[in-house]
């Protein structure tokens, strides 16, 4: 039997400027494959790109811990894993089992994930995880998740942490207006009848967002509010519309 090929490398040290300091981090790559994946058949591979922050700061240490939990949360069954090697071993074992049971099966499997860091002038760090997983079936499972951290406390920032309860309805109304305009849906027309699956047929913002110096972008993943054919939905609200609602944009 062919042995899996592996590579674990650190590309370079990068940095991100915050209000108070220059945060440095490694850009790491974990790669392991079974078979020749250049032809994308008769092979399985895992490639994880992720940052590892250089720090003895408890806040940054907690963010590193979150990153480690994210990259181990790529399992394709209900088992839990303590290392990327355990995930890759399970991936290859499952793939070989399928090929043993179905000798004419040649489609390659893969687990790909790329985690990147960005920091705004508001001292907020965003961790973006773009993943694509194919373990048989009709399509790959593609996903984008964004987690925002307060660099003073290390706590995860959700929408209700930056918007007062009384203003949540206001930002939702602003978001819905922009959403309808971008999709050419009249204000009096049902979202459901136009192909969108919001709960109770009522527009909602989610906690999958990135804060930038120019505003906030919300990400709705495949199947979250619409069919796969619609792709990922991105909704951008410029800071000019948020200055009276979110203090950081004042």
């Amino acid at each position: 039997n062919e042995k899996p090929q592996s590579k674990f490398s650190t590309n370079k040290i990068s940095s991100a400027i915050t209000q108070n300091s220059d945060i440095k981090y490694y850009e790491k790559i974990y790669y392991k494959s079974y078979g020749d994946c250049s032809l994308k058949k008769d092979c399985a591979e895992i490639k994880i790109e992720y940052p590892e922050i250089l720090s003895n700061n408890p806040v940054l240490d907690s963010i590193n811990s979150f990153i480690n939990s994210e990259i181990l949360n790529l399992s394709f069954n209900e088992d839990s894993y303590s290392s990327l090697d355990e995930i890759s071993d399970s991936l290859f074992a499952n793939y070989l089992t399928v090929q043993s049971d179905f000798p004419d099966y040649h489609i390659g499997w893969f687990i790909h994930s790329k985690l990147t860091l960005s920091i705004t002038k508001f001292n907020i760090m965003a961790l973006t995880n773009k993943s694509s997983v194919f373990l048989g079936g009709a399509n790959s499972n593609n996903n984008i998740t964004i987690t925002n951290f307060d660099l003073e406390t290390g706590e995860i920032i959700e929408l209700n942490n930056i918007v007062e309860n009384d203003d949540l309805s206001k930002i939702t109304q602003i978001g819905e207006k922009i959403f309808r305009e971008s999709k050419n849906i009249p204000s009096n027309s049902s979202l459901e009848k136009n192909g969108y699956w919001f709960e109770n047929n009522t527009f909602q913002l989610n906690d999958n967002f990135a804060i930038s110096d120019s505003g906030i972008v919300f990400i709705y993943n495949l199947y979250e509010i619409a069919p796969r054919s619609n792709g990922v939905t991105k909704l951008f609200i410029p800071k000019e519309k948020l200055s009276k609602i979110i203090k950081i944009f004042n």
Side-chain angles (χ1 to χ4, degrees):
N1 290 338
E2 184 176 352
K3 292 184 178 180
Q5 302 297 310
S6 64
K7 176 178 68 175
F8 185 85
S9 65
T10 299
N11 275 354
K12 59 182 179 180
I13 295 180
S14 298
S15 64
I17 306 299
T18 72
Q19 289 179 344
N20 303 317
S21 63
D22 181 9
I23 295 177
K24 297 185 182 297
Y25 57 92
Y26 286 117
E27 294 182 7
K28 290 195 165 186
I29 298 174
Y30 175 93
Y31 179 84
K32 208 167 189 179
S33 65
Y34 186 93
D36 180 6
C37 289
S38 62
L39 300 177
K40 301 193 182 302
K41 64 178 183 177
D42 292 319
C43 85
E45 71 173 3
I46 176 171
K47 182 179 183 181
I48 312 297
E49 301 173 71
Y50 65 98
E52 181 180 280
I53 302 171
L54 301 175
S55 167
N56 56 6
N57 178 322
V59 168
L60 297 180
D61 287 344
S62 69
I63 297 174
N64 266 337
S65 294
F66 181 90
I67 292 171
N68 288 333
S69 68
E70 278 285 282
I71 63 178
L72 295 179
N73 194 32
L74 294 166
S75 59
F76 39 91
N77 53 42
E78 295 183 358
D79 294 336
S80 60
Y81 299 95
S82 60
S83 69
L84 288 172
D85 280 341
E86 285 188 9
I87 295 177
S88 62
D89 289 346
S90 181
L91 169 68
F92 301 148
N94 288 342
Y95 185 71
L96 290 174
T97 296
V98 169
Q99 286 208 314
S100 176
D101 293 342
F102 304 95
D104 293 331
Y105 187 89
H106 302 288
I107 301 172
W109 288 8
F110 59 82
I111 297 176
H112 295 160
S113 183
K114 184 172 185 177
L115 290 80
T116 55
L117 294 177
S118 61
I119 297 177
T120 72
K121 66 181 181 182
F122 310 116
N123 233 27
I124 295 172
M125 175 183 284
L127 175 69
T128 301
N129 183 358
K130 296 182 179 180
S131 63
S132 182
V133 178
F134 180 79
L135 305 172
N139 298 293
S140 61
N141 182 17
N142 304 313
N143 208 51
I144 302 173
T145 58
I146 303 170
T147 308
N148 298 285
F149 299 92
D150 183 331
L151 283 176
E152 292 185 3
T153 64
E155 294 181 354
I156 293 174
I157 299 172
E158 297 182 341
L159 190 60
N160 60 12
N161 298 130
I162 58 173
V163 180
E164 299 291 338
N165 286 338
D166 293 342
D167 289 328
L168 283 173
S169 61
K170 294 179 183 177
I171 189 175
T172 300
Q173 289 171 7
I174 293 170
E176 180 171 7
K177 187 174 186 295
I178 294 173
F179 179 84
R180 286 179 176 272
E181 288 174 351
S182 68
K183 305 299 181 184
N184 297 313
I185 302 174
S187 59
N188 60 351
S189 181
S190 164
L191 292 168
E192 186 176 9
K193 289 182 179 179
N194 284 275
Y196 292 93
W197 308 326
F198 290 98
E199 187 175 354
N200 299 321
N201 197 24
T202 302
F203 178 84
Q204 296 176 351
L205 297 172
N206 61 17
D207 280 317
N208 198 24
F209 61 86
I211 301 171
S212 70
D213 298 340
S214 57
I216 299 180
V217 59
F218 293 85
I219 304 293
Y220 298 90
N221 281 298
L222 301 179
Y223 302 114
E224 185 173 351
I225 61 169
R228 181 187 179 90
S229 58
N230 283 37
V232 173
T233 299
K234 297 182 179 182
L235 172 65
F236 177 70
I237 304 179
K239 67 178 182 180
E240 291 78 13
K241 294 185 180 294
L242 299 170
S243 59
K244 294 181 180 180
I245 299 175
I246 300 179
K247 292 179 180 178
I248 59 175
F249 291 120
N250 289 342

